[in-house]
Amino acid sequence: MSLSYKPVIWNRTKIIYDAVMLAGIFIYILIFLRLGPVISSALRDTDLPIQRMRAFGSLALLMLTIVLAIGPLARIDARFIPLLYNRRHFGVMTAIIAATHAYYVLGWYFSFSPTPQLTALFTSNTSFTSTAGFPFELFGVFALVILAVLAVTSHDFWLSFLTPPVWKAIHMSVYFAYAAVILHVALGALIDRRDLALAFLSLGGLATLCVLHLIAGRRETSADAAASKKAPEAPWVIVGDLSEIAEGRAIIGAAPGGERIAVFRSKGGLSAVSNICSHQNGPIGEGKVVIGFITCPWHGYQYRPEDGCSPPPFRERIRKYRLRLEGSSVLVDPEPLPLGTKLEPLAIPAELLPAVAAPKKEGTV
């Protein structure tokens, strides 16, 4: 959160994340250009500019596949969650790598064209009735346009300007971009029948993504369907035991119907809020209390425990829920309070205060 919009707000975690990502990009390009011609005869017989454009093209495909895999992987195994928190940087860099590939393609194939490069790109291949010769370049252009739009609109300014539902709908088009890239690579491989490795790699990535999304979707559906156990007295539900909640952390329950509720413990009190951040629907329950504020792990959006409102001048709000204790069992009323309702944290009785759970180590489930 910031009082003004800045192109990038850096912190130590983001710097490390981006440094590792850039190092990985450098190593991949270096290995592709050095070892690729040694391993593949098809690459060995091509010029360096073609090897270079293929290096960036294959890297863009790999990065886009990873971007789409991070979400389901984080749901399947919590050790992948750190990759999720700064996925926006990964996506922007993917668009830059894809644009670099396109730049090299235009520079190599159309440098000496008597017509403008873009005009030549769209008119040089018009074999629309041929499968093997279909102008696969168009799918690449389509994907690049989508990735560019997503990169430009990834900033919070656009999220606020467009509203979260519209912003979310726009960014779901990344799946259209991925489908276009798969067609771009597969049809390109049909024209150049000597090196089909990239085509098989793209199909392998597609199959892997489908499996990951199916597994993650099944788990999410099962978790939503399995609401927390109902307490003897309606409408309360039991979300867990006090000893399960580490200081500054939360446990997550599920109300009937699938609404997830996060119960935070901080300074001798309990507070129940929606598990969905109003910024980008991040999982607030996986965050922690920082300087007295419930903090979303995705982008640091903060909310007061007593009313679920962001501190001024911010205006984000999340739902609050009533709480009670039955012994050490934590009970929640699944009916949310009106947004902005003030409800002081539920005080933990003195005899239960020693029951403090040890905080989970980073990367554990």
Side-chain angles (χ1 to χ4, degrees):
M1 301 175 76
S2 172
L3 292 174
S4 60
Y5 292 112
K6 298 179 180 178
V8 181
I9 300 176
W10 299 101
N11 58 37
R12 183 174 180 274
T13 301
K14 290 182 179 179
I15 291 174
I16 294 174
Y17 189 101
D18 290 352
V20 172
M21 180 173 58
L22 291 173
I25 290 172
F26 177 78
I27 292 171
Y28 178 91
I29 296 296
L30 186 64
I31 290 177
F32 191 99
L33 295 179
R34 296 291 185 184
L35 295 184
V38 177
I39 299 172
S40 170
S41 60
L43 272 180
R44 188 163 52 247
D45 296 337
T46 59
D47 297 324
L48 177 60
I50 295 179
Q51 294 174 11
R52 191 170 51 193
M53 71 178 69
R54 289 185 178 179
F56 279 92
S58 61
L59 178 58
L61 170 61
L62 178 62
M63 292 181 69
L64 185 57
T65 304
I66 293 174
V67 165
L68 293 176
I70 289 174
L73 282 173
R75 294 185 180 93
I76 295 171
D77 192 322
R79 286 174 293 186
F80 291 98
I81 287 178
L83 292 176
L84 186 68
Y85 294 163
N86 293 293
R87 187 171 49 172
R88 180 190 329 205
H89 288 209
F90 208 124
V92 172
M93 185 55 67
T94 300
I96 294 173
I97 294 296
T100 304
H101 165 72
Y103 172 79
Y104 284 138
V105 169
L106 287 175
W108 176 249
Y109 287 108
F110 304 108
S111 282
F112 303 103
S113 173
T115 57
Q117 292 182 350
L118 286 178
T119 302
L121 173 67
F122 288 112
T123 58
S124 60
N125 183 2
T126 56
S127 305
F128 291 99
T129 58
S130 170
T131 301
F134 194 88
F136 68 98
E137 301 91 346
L138 300 182
F139 290 109
V141 172
F142 178 69
L144 181 59
V145 170
I146 291 179
L147 293 178
V149 170
L150 299 189
V152 171
T153 59
S154 65
H155 197 272
D156 275 357
F157 166 78
W158 292 102
L159 177 65
S160 176
F161 176 73
L162 296 171
T163 72
V166 174
W167 187 91
K168 184 76 172 180
I170 292 175
H171 281 250
M172 289 301 288
S173 65
V174 67
Y175 289 98
F176 291 108
Y178 186 72
V181 169
I182 294 296
L183 289 171
H184 176 68
V185 173
L187 292 174
L190 286 177
I191 294 177
D192 181 14
R193 296 174 183 270
R194 294 188 57 200
D195 190 0
L196 298 177
L198 187 57
F200 287 120
L201 183 64
S202 63
L203 293 177
L206 175 62
T208 301
L209 280 182
C210 290
V211 171
L212 288 175
H213 277 76
L214 286 173
I215 294 175
R218 185 173 179 180
R219 289 195 178 193
E220 292 285 297
T221 302
S222 299
D224 289 342
S228 297
K229 182 181 177 182
K230 291 184 179 179
E233 184 180 349
W236 301 91
V237 296
I238 304 172
V239 296
D241 191 88
L242 183 62
S243 61
E244 300 171 7
I245 315 176
E247 175 64 21
R249 298 285 185 170
I251 56 173
I252 301 171
E259 176 71 22
R260 295 179 187 174
I261 301 170
V263 179
F264 279 89
R265 176 176 185 163
S266 176
K267 298 180 178 178
L270 297 174
S271 302
V273 296
S274 169
N275 191 48
I276 301 175
C277 180
S278 63
H279 175 223
Q280 286 187 4
N281 293 344
I284 291 179
E286 295 173 9
K288 57 186 177 182
V289 178
V290 179
I291 318 177
F293 294 100
I294 294 172
T295 305
C296 180
W298 278 18
H299 301 110
Y301 272 64
Q302 295 186 310
Y303 305 91
R304 291 190 294 250
E306 61 270 24
D307 58 11
C309 297
S310 295
F314 307 104
R315 294 180 294 181
E316 287 78 11
R317 298 185 296 178
I318 54 176
R319 293 175 171 176
K320 279 275 300 179
Y321 296 86
R322 294 192 300 145
L323 274 168
R324 59 183 283 196
L325 284 170
E326 287 288 344
S328 61
S329 296
V330 180
L331 280 60
V332 172
D333 180 353
E335 182 65 27
L337 298 169
L339 285 170
T341 300
K342 188 171 183 179
L343 183 65
E344 293 296 333
L346 176 68
I348 302 174
E351 62 272 21
L352 295 177
L353 280 176
V356 177
K360 291 181 179 180
K361 293 181 179 180
E362 194 73 26
T364 58
V365 180

